[in-house]
Amino acid sequence: MFEVFTLLADWLTYSIFQIAPDAKLGDAVHFFIEDVSKIYVLLAVMIYAIALVRASLNVERVRDFLAGKRRGVGYVLGAGFGAITPFCSCSSIPIFLGFTSAGIPVGMTMAFLLTSPLINEVAVLLLMSLLGWKFTLIYVVIGMTVGILGGLFLDAIKAERWLQSFAAKALDNGRKQGGEVVAESESVVMTFSDRHRFAKSETIDIFSRVWKWVIIGVGLGAALHGFVPDGWIELHLGDGQWWSVPAAVLLGIPLYSNATGVIPIMESLIINGLPIGTTLAFCMSTVAVSFPEFILLKQVMQWRLLVTVFLMLLVSFTLVGWLFNCLSSFI
Amino acid sequence: MKQIKVLGSGCTKCVKTAELIEQVANEQGVAVSVIKETDPQTMLAYGVMSTPAVVIDEKLVHAGSMPQAVQIKEWLK
C-alpha cells in the first residue's frame, strides 16, 4: 500500500531531479520525498477519521468521569484519557485547575497531563507506519507507564503541599464537595455534520501545526540517513556506553518538538544503529520536557513541585533507556 | 456596549479569537469592548477548562475552540 510513495520518490529523485541513485545525495533526497509524502497523506486521512470518532470526547467529560474515581483505577484512566483526549497544550493550566477544583488528586491530573504529549493518535500512526507495530506497542506502554507511575509518585510524596495557594484552595473545596462536579457539563448529541465540521477543523488545525515539524524531522532524518557513515553511531553511541542514555535525555531538554516531528528522527536514528533505549530516552525527553511548558506550570505549582516533576521525568526516561538497551536483544 | 472577555493563555488561537470578534462587531456596527484575560484564576472562576473561551457580559458563551463568524454574529444580536 505504501509502495506508491516509493515510486513517487523514485520518479522525482532520479527522473526529475536527475540525481544518481548511488550518490549520498540521492539517498537522502529519496528518503526525504518518500517519508514526507507518506506522512502527509497518512496524517490528513487519519486525523480526519479519528476526529470523526472522538468528536464528542472533551476534557469536561473526562473530568466528570474521573471525579470521585478510586485512586488505583484513576491513574490508569487518567493516563489513558491523556493519550486519547485532544486538547491544545495552551489549555494545560485551565485543565489542571478544572480537574483540581473537581477534587481530583494532583497525581491523577498529572498522569493525564504527562501522558498527553507522549501519546496521541498522530504519534501512534507515524510509529506504526515507520517503525512497525511492535515498536508502537512498546512506545505506548512506556508512555502510559511513565504517566501512571509519575502520578502515583506525586501523590505518594503529597505533591499537593506544593501547589500555589489558590490552586490548593480549589482542591480543598473540590474534595469537600465529595468529587461532585460544580457545573455539570451538558452532553450534546452530535449529528454527522457536526462531527464532520469538527473533524475538518481538527485536520486543518493539526496539519497546519505539524507540517513544518515533519519537514524538519524528516530533513534531519534524511541528513543522518545519507551523510552519517554507516556504523558511526553504533560505534560511538552504542549500548556499550552507559552514559549515552542520560546524555540523550539531557540533549532532549533544550530541543523541543512534538511527537510528530521527533518520530521521523527516531526512525533514522534506529536505522543508523542507535540502540532502541537511547532513542526512546532522547525522543521522550524532547517531547515531554520543555522549558516553556514548565514555566507555564509555575502559575499553579511552587518551584519545589516544578523541579520535582522535572527531575522525575528525567530519571524515568533514563531508566526507560537503560531498561530497553538491556532488553533490546529480546525485541 | 457589550463587555467581552476572551479567556486564554495568550496562544495564537486566543489572539485570533479576539481579533475575529472585534472584526465581526465592526461589520455589524455593534459597540464592544474586547479584553484578553490570561489569569488562570479568572478561568477557574468561570469554570473554563479549554481555551479560548468567550465571556459576554459575564456569561460564558463558548469554550474550547476558535468560534466561527456565524456564532459570533448570533452572540452580538
Side-chain angles (χ1 to χ4, degrees), chain A residues 59-60 63 88-91 93-95 97-99 101 166-167 170 197 205 209 296 299-300, chain B residues 8-14 38-41 43-44 47-52 63-65 68:
Chain A
V59 281
E60 286 79 7
R63 176 199 55 193
C88 152
S89 71
C90 52
S91 286
I93 298 296
I95 289 174
L97 286 170
F99 278 31
S101 61
F166 78 96
R197 202 173 322 129
D205 183 50
R209 259 187 298 132
L296 275 181
Q299 294 175 312
V300 289
Chain B
S9 42
C11 54
T12 17
K13 274 193 200 169
C14 314
T38 54
D39 184 8
Q41 297 200 45
M43 296 178 213
L44 183 61
V48 164
M49 282 174 60
S50 26
T51 56
S65 65
Q68 292 170 338

Side-chain angles (χ1 to χ4, degrees), chain A residues 31 85 114 154 195 218 222 262:
Chain A
F31 181 85
T85 313
L114 292 177
L154 288 174
R195 283 177 187 271
V218 178
V262 103

Side-chain angles (χ1 to χ4, degrees), chain A:
Chain A
M1 173 183 148
F2 293 142
E3 283 128 35
V4 54
F5 302 107
T6 316
L7 294 176
L8 174 75
D10 283 346
W11 176 67
L12 278 175
T13 315
Y14 309 133
S15 308
I16 303 296
F17 299 143
Q18 303 275 335
I19 304 170
D22 50 351
K24 284 257 175 262
L25 182 67
D27 207 16
V29 169
H30 188 274
F31 181 85
F32 182 81
I33 296 173
E34 182 179 344
D35 262 19
V36 169
S37 58
K38 181 161 73 179
I39 291 171
Y40 278 176
V41 171
L42 271 173
L43 278 181
V45 174
M46 297 308 292
I47 297 173
Y48 179 84
I50 293 168
L52 269 188
V53 179
R54 62 146 198 225
S56 49
L57 181 69
N58 58 33
V59 281
E60 286 79 7
R61 287 178 81 167
V62 173
R63 176 199 55 193
D64 297 355
F65 189 78
L66 285 181
K69 278 279 176 303
R70 273 183 304 125
R71 291 202 170 221
V73 210
Y75 299 106
V76 179
L77 288 174
F81 278 118
I84 58 174
T85 313
F87 69 89
C88 152
S89 71
C90 52
S91 286
S92 327
I93 298 296
I95 289 174
F96 184 90
L97 286 170
F99 278 31
T100 306
S101 61
I104 298 172
V106 174
M108 242 187 247
T109 306
M110 288 307 288
F112 178 86
L113 288 177
L114 292 177
T115 316
S116 172
L118 285 173
I119 310 176
N120 56 55
E121 76 282 9
V122 180
V124 168
L125 277 169
L126 286 179
L127 281 171
M128 292 272 259
S129 62
L130 298 178
L131 291 163
W133 67 268
K134 235 191 214 169
F135 192 91
T136 313
L137 192 68
I138 294 171
Y139 181 89
V140 170
V141 170
I142 299 173
M144 294 269 297
T145 311
V146 168
I148 293 167
L149 295 183
L152 277 168
F153 171 76
L154 288 174
D155 278 341
I157 61 163
K158 298 194 170 42
E160 65 271 17
R161 288 177 292 171
W162 300 327
L163 290 177
Q164 298 287 10
S165 60
F166 78 96
K169 212 179 289 166
L171 180 63
D172 254 3
N173 288 338
R175 277 189 185 151
K176 280 187 200 122
Q177 282 155 353
E180 263 175 60
V181 179
V182 199
E184 186 75 38
S185 57
E186 40 194 292
S187 52
V188 210
V189 182
M190 292 187 104
T191 62
F192 184 79
S193 76
D194 287 340
R195 283 177 187 271
H196 165 73
R197 202 173 322 129
F198 172 81
K200 199 176 121 194
S201 80
E202 277 281 292
T203 311
I204 295 171
D205 183 50
I206 298 180
F207 203 89
S208 63
R209 259 187 298 132
V210 303
W211 69 269
K212 47 186 182 294
W213 290 108
V214 174
I215 300 233
I216 295 171
V218 178
L220 281 173
L224 276 173
H225 197 73
F227 296 106
V228 175
D230 284 348
W232 187 91
I233 290 185
E234 208 166 357
L235 187 66
H236 292 89
L237 295 166
D239 43 11
Q241 290 88 350
W242 65 270
W243 50 263
S244 61
V245 172
V249 171
L250 291 178
L251 185 66
I253 301 172
L255 300 174
Y256 175 58
S257 154
N258 52 29
T260 324
V262 103
I263 287 167
I265 304 181
M266 283 171 95
E267 182 197 16
S268 44
L269 286 173
I270 289 178
I271 293 173
N272 277 284
L274 190 68
I276 177 176
T278 315
T279 312
L280 276 170
F282 170 71
C283 294
M284 290 196 153
S285 163
T286 307
V287 172
V289 186
S290 81
F291 283 124
E293 299 256 317
F294 269 80
I295 298 301
L296 275 181
L297 280 176
K298 176 74 180 70
Q299 294 175 312
V300 289
M301 294 177 178
Q302 296 171 23
W303 279 117
R304 208 188 300 197
L305 180 51
L306 214 54
V307 173
T308 308
V309 175
F310 193 75
L311 292 177
M312 178 187 89
L313 285 180
L314 297 189
V315 170
S316 17
F317 295 148
T318 306
L319 293 177
V320 165
W322 281 334
L323 180 71
F324 277 89
N325 281 353
C326 292
L327 293 178
S328 60
S329 42
F330 304 105
I331 298 171

